[in-house]
Amino acid sequence: MTALAEEVAPVVADKPVSEPVSDLDEVLWQAWKAMDLPEGYRAEIIEGTIELSPTGRRRHTVLMGRLHRALDAHLAGSGYAVHRDGNVIHRHKCWIPDLFVAPLDLDEIPDEEGLGVDAAGVKMVVEVTSPGHRNLQRDRARKRREYARAGIPVYVIVDDFDDEGAVVVLTSPDPKKAKYTDEHRVPYGTDAVVPEGPAKGFAIGKAIVAS
C-alpha cells in the first residue's frame, strides 16, 4: 500500500538520503498527531492504518513486568536500558512496543519532531501477545514486517497463544523484503536467548513465562 515510502533510502557520499513519504503516510501522520485518545488506549500507525488498542490484561502486565525487571538487571552498566510506553518512529510510522532496548538516555535518539525516539537507535523490541485474531496478527505479522522495514536488529515475541506458549526471537532484518531472515522459536519451558546486541545472552525462561 505504501511501497514507495518503504523503500530503503539511497546512500550518497556515505550519508543516507531521506525519500519523501507517500501522501497516505502524511495524512495518517497528521491525523495521528491530532488524536485525543481516551484514557487507557494507545494509537499506532501500522501498515497504512491507525490502530487503537487498550492497555493489556493482568497476564500481559505480569509478563511485561517480569521481562522489564530481568532486562534491566541484564543491561546494568551497559549504557542501554529497557523502556516502555514510548513512541518508536520511522518515516511517519509510529509504534509503541511493549518494551524496547535503547540508550539509557533517550535524548540521544530523538525523532525529528520530538514525538518519540528514532527507530534507528532502537536495538531490540519486545511484544507480549494479547488474545484475539487481530491482536495476534498485529504482533506476529504486521508489526513483524514494520520492525523489519525499520531495520530494528532484534524482535522478540512472547506468545502465550502459540500452542502451549512460545518465545520467538527474530534477527537479521531485511528492510527491502520487510522480513527477518533468522527466526528461532522456543517453546515455554526452554530458555530463549537473545543472540546479539546490548541484550546479548539475555534468556527468557520459566521464571518469566510461568503462569
Side-chain angles (χ1 to χ4, degrees), residues 1 48 58 85 120 140 150 159 161 172 201-202:
M1 184 179 296
R58 179 179 57 82
D85 297 327
R140 293 174 179 174
D159 195 341
F161 308 95
S172 301
F202 177 70

Side-chain angles (χ1 to χ4, degrees), residues 9-79:
V11 175
V12 177
D14 297 325
K15 292 184 179 181
V17 178
S18 297
E19 295 178 4
V21 297
S22 71
D23 290 343
L24 173 60
D25 285 339
E26 180 63 31
V27 168
L28 290 172
W29 181 246
Q30 296 302 328
W32 175 80
K33 290 196 295 182
M35 293 184 75
D36 184 12
L37 296 176
E39 185 176 353
Y41 279 82
R42 60 185 186 176
E44 302 172 279
I45 304 174
I46 305 173
E47 294 198 323
T49 62
I50 296 176
E51 295 195 18
L52 299 182
S53 57
T55 54
R57 300 183 182 186
R58 179 179 57 82
R59 169 66 174 169
H60 189 274
T61 303
V62 166
L63 285 173
M64 283 178 56
R66 291 173 182 170
L67 284 161
H68 198 156
R69 290 189 293 272
L71 260 175
D72 260 343
H74 184 85
L75 293 167
S78 69

Side-chain angles (χ1 to χ4, degrees), residues 40 42 44 53-73 81-86 96-101 124-130 138-139 143 147 156-160 167 188 202 204-205 207-211:
R42 60 185 186 176
E44 302 172 279
S53 57
T55 54
R57 300 183 182 186
R58 179 179 57 82
R59 169 66 174 169
H60 189 274
T61 303
V62 166
L63 285 173
M64 283 178 56
R66 291 173 182 170
L67 284 161
H68 198 156
R69 290 189 293 272
L71 260 175
D72 260 343
V82 57
H83 305 274
R84 63 193 296 178
D85 297 327
I96 307 173
D98 287 326
L99 302 171
F100 64 95
V101 174
M124 185 173 88
V125 288
V126 180
E127 298 287 3
V128 177
T129 60
S130 297
R138 179 176 61 242
D139 292 335
K143 278 195 168 183
Y147 291 150
V156 176
I157 306 172
V158 180
D159 195 341
D160 267 356
V167 178
Y188 281 5
F202 177 70
I204 302 171
I208 290 176
V209 300
S211 299

Side-chain angles (χ1 to χ4, degrees), residues 110-170:
D111 72 292
E112 290 184 356
E113 297 188 40
L115 299 173
V117 300
D118 188 334
V122 173
K123 303 303 181 182
M124 185 173 88
V125 288
V126 180
E127 298 287 3
V128 177
T129 60
S130 297
H133 177 74
R134 184 164 182 80
N135 291 332
L136 291 172
Q137 287 302 107
R138 179 176 61 242
D139 292 335
R140 293 174 179 174
R142 297 194 300 280
K143 278 195 168 183
R144 177 171 174 159
R145 291 190 292 266
E146 291 282 56
Y147 291 150
R149 287 187 185 102
I152 294 175
V154 181
Y155 178 27
V156 176
I157 306 172
V158 180
D159 195 341
D160 267 356
F161 308 95
D162 180 352
D163 197 14
E164 297 299 315
V167 178
V168 179
V169 180
L170 300 156

